[in-house]
Amino acid sequence: MNRYSHPALSFRCLTTVWALLLVLTGITVFVSRLDLGALNIWAALGIATLKASLVVLYFMHLKHEPRLLKLCLFIALLTLASFIGLTFFDVLYR
Amino acid sequence: MTMQRDATAARLGMWLFLFSELLLFGGLFLLYAVYLARYPADFVAGGRQLDLLLGTGNTILLITSSLTVALALSALQQGRRRLCLGLLCATVLASLLFLVNKGVEWQAKFDHGLFPGGARLEETAPGQKVFFGLYFVTTGLHGLHVLIGAALLLWILGLVGSGRVTEQDPVMLENGALYWHLVDLIWIFIFPLYYLLL
Amino acid sequence: MTDLPFTTIEAVDAVFLYIFGIAALLLVGITATMVVFVVRYHRRRHPQPQPSPSSKLWLELVWTLIPTLIVLSMFWYSWEGYLKLIDVPPDALKVQAEGRKWSWNFSYENGRSSDRLYVPVGRAVRVAIVSRDVLHSLYIPAFRVKKDAVPGITTYVWFRAPEVGSYDLFCAEYCGVSHSSMVTTVEALPEAQFSAWLEKSKKPSAAGGPALLSRHGCTGCHSLDGSRRVGPSFLGLFGRQTQVLSDGRERTLTANQDYVRRSILQPQADLVQGYPPVMPSYQGQIPPDELQTLVDYLCSEPLSAAPAGP
Amino acid sequence: MAKQNDRGFLQASDRQPLLFDWIFSVDHKRIGLLYLYSVGAFFLAGVALGVLLRLELIAPGPTIATAQTYNALFTLHGVVMIFLFIIPGIPGAFGNLMLPLQIGARDVAFPRLNLLSWWLYILGAFMALTSLFSGGGPPDTGWTFYVPFSSETPTNVSLALLAVFIIGFSSILTGVNFVTTIHRLRAPGMHWGRLPLFVWSLYATAWVQILATPVLGITMVLLMVERLIGLGLFDPGRGGDPILYQHLFWIYSHPAVYIMILPAMGVVSEIIPVFARKPTFGYKAIAASSVAIAAAGSLVWGHHMFVSGMSDTAILVFSLLTFLVAIPSAVKVFNWVATLYRGSISLEPPMLFALAFVFLFSIGGLTGLILGSAATDVHVHDTHFVVGHFHYVMFGGTGFAFFAALHYWLPKVFGRMYNMKAATIAWAIIFVGFNLLYFPMMLVGLHGMPRRYYDYLPQFQQLNVIATAGSWVLAAGLLLMFVNLYRGMRRGAAAGSNPWQAATLEWVLTSPPPAESFSQPPQVTHGPYDLQQAGKP
Ligand code: HEA
Ligand code: HEA
Ligand code: CUA
Ligand SMILES: [Cu+2]
């Protein structure tokens, strides 16, 4: 049984991620002030996804987790996506 | 009966629970997506009335608190217990600040009659009512999670202080941190979806 | 009637027959196999199991593939059937059905309205369905059609009555205490008779008390013969000593014109003890002249007197 | 190892009062029994309500209750049966009892969380029952809580919603526990290809619990908020859409029917090979189809909404997906039947219930195809045909599997055997009563009798009378079965550690299992259905 957790991530690495997150926050605020029409929402979502990936991979150490856990996360996200996606078969075509 | 100490199992369990939390908010995101598709203009109008400054401030707060809790874990693993305690304190402090901000923001909405049943909101288009309805439940539920997360971290802070969560056995802190990151993750999506619609 | 154009009944029944047929075959097949195995390989006859492979790829592929084909065919056939249910013939007569707690109101393009659905036999009818309060569902088993009445949107069904007659019409979506009495009929009349009915009296407000009671759905919950339903009976209402709950306080009042009017417009103001507080408000739903007629009728001789039959 | 006459984990300790010894125990076996007792109690409550429903429907017009009472009765019957009996039933009771034993683990991964699950379940049940006597009276919405009715009825719906939320939370925690346990605590040698099929089915179920239940949670929260402050998210007057509520509700509640049936299928997959003395035919296919049902079953919820006003495109998609989900179920049925081939079959009570399961579930599932087809569902939706369908799958399926599990595993748990003859007679009565009760319901539904009808037209009476009579037959059979099981557990002959000569790990232990079941993880050397190896780890 492995009692042990991951090796500690260096402070350097964590702060770099943090800085990146702040930069991305700035970018998303900036981009939202441009008028891109329907693209705005996708840009916002795209940047948010990028930020979320950083948090998940580094802050939450997913990068160092076994493949199994990555797969599980993928399944959870896929489930959510299909719930939303299938609902749209109703609302878009009503 | 003795607990089976298995860090990997504990972490797996925590992740599974987080999936559950994700799907809990997922229901709200589903509603958001549907109503955004139905009332795009109203949602934009609703988003304009949210306080961008407070929203951005809160985003920065949460991201920073996410950093501090991640640092706290690394600190503990490197055996720097004092630093770890300090960083945890900072995290809890940030979460409280977040809640204060949120309170200020909600109060402002109430003062403007922008709440369900409030004078201003009742006059607006149906799409805006839905927008504010969603805004209140989503941020409310998220706020509740912030509160729970803060309490959890406070408790873990106690455990670290009393030496029950240690360099050798950091599982509790790991899981507390995971929970806190989830709270951050949800906010990372709430922020653009509600505050940055233009 | 063989020369009749296509009906929804045929569309649905064909699918029923197809799926039921295959399902019955499968069920009989599986059960028979099971029983035969149980008898044949019963321990008494067959004390030792005989070796047989514990998996066989080709066999398993076969019994995955064949069901796949079966269900796909069922799906396809049923979808074809469903398309017929949503494809309204262009010459269909248009009627609107409004569901409300707990009655139906059908209105025709010329302004005629009724609590029964009158239709000309043989002609396609398109019923647009709306709801005034909660979900209801318009269901005519004889024609195999059903659709929910959803507040805020309009749905529809179409059908064609094959023969003259009276067909049951139910509310199929649970809608509260009198859900099961939200029942009426479809009256399929010969074309000429139907036209006569349609033209008979367009102005609904000419109707008297009893007609108004049923049109506005009051009789769904209140009887005229003294029997107990969801709400108190109208028989003997006027002048009755009534125990009510007003604003949380109990009091006794004598039913008069004011009380009757208030009970229609603000039913929650005085709640009669022993009945659930479920009556919807009719504020803005009844034209003033009709309201007056109703109140007059409810306080009139035949109802306030001793039992005079339903 | 334990000596003769040892009461194993049932042995009272003298450290604290007996009751506390149980309700605060973190031992999975004791928690399993706690679930078994509570689930059983709620089953009896639900069943009594069902009998009352039938009594009311014996004749048109008021019979024993008012319309309002009837509505409360079926709401309560549905809520109790779904949330208090059938969803926690097999995973909570037999999952907890057997899962760790079957994989050779000492306990589940998080024993204290496990206890918390049970407590949450009891708390939720308590609230559900309180909702009957407080506030505006018993909820009258049906177990589906459809808006707008549920957001405006003055009855005590909010408390019931909270109860469902809490029970859902308990279900999630059980799911988390089981997935972690199966991943982390398998004994050496117990690789994925050797997992008993019951464990496979619990694994698939647990994932559904984790990923679908929270959606129900948020739906209940939204409805509560709607009732408390009127956000209007589902209120058409305020821009909301009542049909979205139905989506959210069924996103959970359809997958929930697979939470109900998968563990039941797992039980049947355990029993059939043991009593046919043959390894399961197509082990891999059965295991994989559990996972396939769980996955595909999460995508078909719209079939409950074919007449709701949903778009026709959605009807097309959901109807197709619904038909596809029947395929893995078909695979299972064929594999079970094939397992019988050339076996040496003995018809002891667990086997009888398992075989009845296959038959009744097939009827239920095949009528599901009628419902999955858009054209025919339009006619039978919300009629007693649907009521017949779901009682066939839930009671004929899961209920019978639950009874099978009782007869199969209780001798292990208590170390005593019931009377075989009485059990067989009870089975026969239950089987006859069941079909007498529910088959006429489907027929009357085909004739057009809507469900949730307190009163009905005279032409429906005949079939309703038969159904009601059937409910009495069923009641008699159930009574006999429970009495027989109870007497057996108290006074029956010693069962021995492996009465059925089965090969899964729980039978290696003494009956009842010792408190410390596998303090040393066993070295597993064979598959779960290598029956020659019965009795060896
Ligand atoms: C244990 C619970 C359970 C299970 C397992 C199922 C299984 C299935 N159900 Fe059922 N269902 C319910 C519980 C369940 N259901 C409940 C509670 C409701 C009503 C809720 C309410 O409104 O209150 C409901 C309602 C319901 C509806 C909505 C009806 C309506 O309201 O109009 C539909 C529609 O498609 C449906 C379909 C199916 C299908 C296709 C399956 C399939 O999974 C069945 C698959 C099984 C088989 C197909 C049989 C076995 C296979 C063979 C015998 C081999 C041969 C088969 C082929 C070749 C195909 N169900
Ligand atoms: C697992 C799920 C489950 C089970 C087992 C049952 C079991 C039964 N149900 Fe169930 N039923 C549901 C789940 C279930 N039901 C659900 C979800 C609904 C939908 C609710 C809604 O619409 O919202 C429903 C709806 C429903 C209706 C439809 C109501 C309507 O739409 O108008 C009816 C009507 O007959 C009915 C009857 C019965 C009967 C007679 C039983 C029988 O099983 C009862 C048979 C058993 C007995 C007769 C034995 C009784 C034994 C005793 C009493 C002895 C006990 C005593 C001691 C040991 C001391 N049920
Ligand atoms: Cu209207 Cu049921
Ligand atoms: Cu379903």
Side-chain angles (χ1 to χ4, degrees), chain C residues 30, chain D residues 143 257-258 303-304 362 365 371-372 377 381 389-390 393 451:
Chain C
I30 290 169
Chain D
W143 80 281
V257 311
Y258 297 113
H303 65 211
H304 294 269
S362 293
L371 299 173
D377 183 64
H381 170 74
H389 157 71
F390 67 69
V393 273
R451 65 192 279 207

Side-chain angles (χ1 to χ4, degrees), chain A residues 2-3 5-6 8-9 11 14 18 25 28 32 40 48 52 59-61 65 69 72-73 80 88 91 94, chain B residues 6-8 11 15 19 22 26 33-34 38 63-64 67 71 73-74 77 83 167 174 181 185 188 196 198:
Chain A
N2 95 331
R3 289 171 48 89
S5 309
H6 317 281
L9 286 183
F11 281 27
L14 292 173
W18 171 73
T25 306
T28 185
S32 77
N40 265 347
F59 284 179
M60 297 172 90
H61 303 103
E65 295 281 5
L69 195 60
C72 290
L73 178 64
L80 179 55
F88 267 78
V91 292
R94 197 141 80 200
Chain B
D6 175 358
T8 309
R11 220 162 46 229
W15 272 98
F19 296 161
L22 191 71
V34 171
R38 191 166 296 168
I63 289 180
T64 310
L67 170 71
L71 290 177
L73 178 60
S74 281
Q77 285 175 321
L83 183 60
E167 186 184 345
E174 260 181 338
H181 293 308
L185 269 181
I188 285 182
L196 295 182
L198 191 71

Side-chain angles (χ1 to χ4, degrees), chain B residues 13 31 52 54 68 73 78 84 100 108 125 140 149 171 197-198:
Chain B
L31 285 184
L52 183 58
L54 280 180
T68 51
L73 178 60
Q78 294 164 3
C84 168
V100 170
V171 178
L197 276 170
L198 191 71

Side-chain angles (χ1 to χ4, degrees), chain C residues 18-134:
Chain C
Y18 184 70
I19 303 185
F20 260 133
I22 296 184
L25 278 180
L26 283 169
L27 182 69
V28 169
I30 290 169
T31 314
T33 316
M34 210 159 70
V35 170
V36 167
F37 283 176
V38 167
V39 172
R40 183 119 187 259
Y41 304 116
H42 193 278
R43 194 159 300 166
R44 241 176 289 135
R45 253 171 243 104
H46 206 243
Q48 283 303 320
Q50 297 298 306
S52 66
S54 68
S55 78
K56 233 189 187 125
L57 192 61
W58 68 265
L59 187 60
E60 296 187 55
L61 279 180
V62 165
W63 70 41
T64 312
L65 272 174
I66 291 183
T68 308
L69 295 179
I70 294 178
V71 294
L72 284 179
S73 79
M74 285 178 177
F75 162 70
W76 187 247
Y77 198 53
S78 85
W79 180 247
E80 293 277 293
Y82 183 74
L83 285 179
K84 293 174 190 147
L85 289 182
I86 56 176
D87 184 16
V88 188
D91 61 336
L93 173 80
K94 291 198 169 59
V95 188
Q96 194 196 48
E98 187 189 47
R100 61 201 172 190
K101 291 173 178 171
W102 285 276
S103 62
W104 293 101
N105 184 39
F106 303 98
S107 45
Y108 295 77
E109 280 185 320
N110 70 348
R112 183 94 158 89
S113 77
S114 152
D115 58 349
R116 278 165 204 267
L117 177 53
Y118 288 90
V119 299
V121 77
R123 171 133 170 240
V125 181
R126 181 191 194 274
V127 188
I129 307 166
V130 297
S131 164
R132 184 190 293 173
D133 35 48
V134 298

Side-chain angles (χ1 to χ4, degrees), chain D residues 93-313:
Chain D
F94 292 107
N96 268 318
L97 278 165
M98 295 302 159
L99 167 71
L101 301 186
Q102 287 199 323
I103 62 172
R106 174 199 250 171
D107 204 316
V108 291
F110 311 113
R112 279 185 296 182
L113 199 65
N114 205 10
L115 182 64
L116 178 65
S117 292
W118 181 75
W119 272 103
L120 285 174
Y121 164 73
I122 290 297
L123 176 66
F126 176 75
M127 290 168 84
L129 293 182
T130 315
S131 76
L132 301 181
F133 310 109
S134 58
D140 61 341
T141 56
W143 80 281
T144 46
F145 301 108
Y146 272 13
V147 292
F149 182 75
S150 60
S151 55
E152 49 184 61
T153 175
T155 56
N156 205 355
V157 174
S158 301
L159 192 59
L161 294 172
L162 189 59
V164 169
F165 179 87
I166 290 178
I167 295 168
F169 198 55
S170 149
S171 181
I172 292 175
L173 294 183
T174 304
V176 167
N177 223 333
F178 283 5
V179 170
T180 313
T181 307
I182 296 171
H183 271 290
R184 297 296 305 166
L185 297 184
R186 280 168 288 128
M190 176 61 77
H191 53 73
W192 290 89
R194 280 184 183 161
L195 278 189
L197 287 166
F198 182 54
V199 176
W200 266 109
S201 74
L202 286 175
Y203 183 71
T205 309
W207 271 104
V208 182
Q209 286 174 297
I210 293 173
L211 293 182
T213 317
V215 182
L216 177 75
I218 191 70
T219 313
M220 299 292 108
V221 168
L222 285 171
L223 193 48
M224 269 187 278
V225 174
E226 189 79 41
R227 284 180 65 87
L228 291 179
I229 55 173
L231 278 188
L233 289 180
F234 303 123
D235 177 358
R238 302 177 58 87
D241 180 349
I243 298 180
L244 276 182
Y245 169 84
Q246 298 176 26
H247 277 293
L248 284 177
F249 181 81
W250 291 115
I251 284 179
Y252 167 74
S253 295
H254 181 80
V257 311
Y258 297 113
I259 297 181
M260 306 169 197
I261 202 70
L262 278 171
M265 292 168 154
V267 170
V268 170
S269 310
E270 286 300 294
I271 291 176
I272 290 186
V274 171
F275 291 86
R277 307 305 309 156
K278 272 196 49 213
T280 338
F281 186 87
Y283 170 90
K284 280 190 190 142
I286 295 188
S289 63
S290 287
V291 180
I293 289 177
S298 300
L299 308 176
V300 305
W301 72 84
H303 65 211
H304 294 269
M305 302 164 59
F306 286 162
V307 306
S308 67
M310 183 173 73
S311 81
D312 292 327
T313 314

Side-chain angles (χ1 to χ4, degrees), chain B residues 87-105:
Chain B
L87 285 164
L88 279 178
C89 281
T91 313
V92 174
L93 209 67
S95 72
L96 293 183
L97 269 177
F98 177 92
L99 286 175
V100 170
N101 263 347
K102 191 92 263 166
V104 170
E105 206 187 326

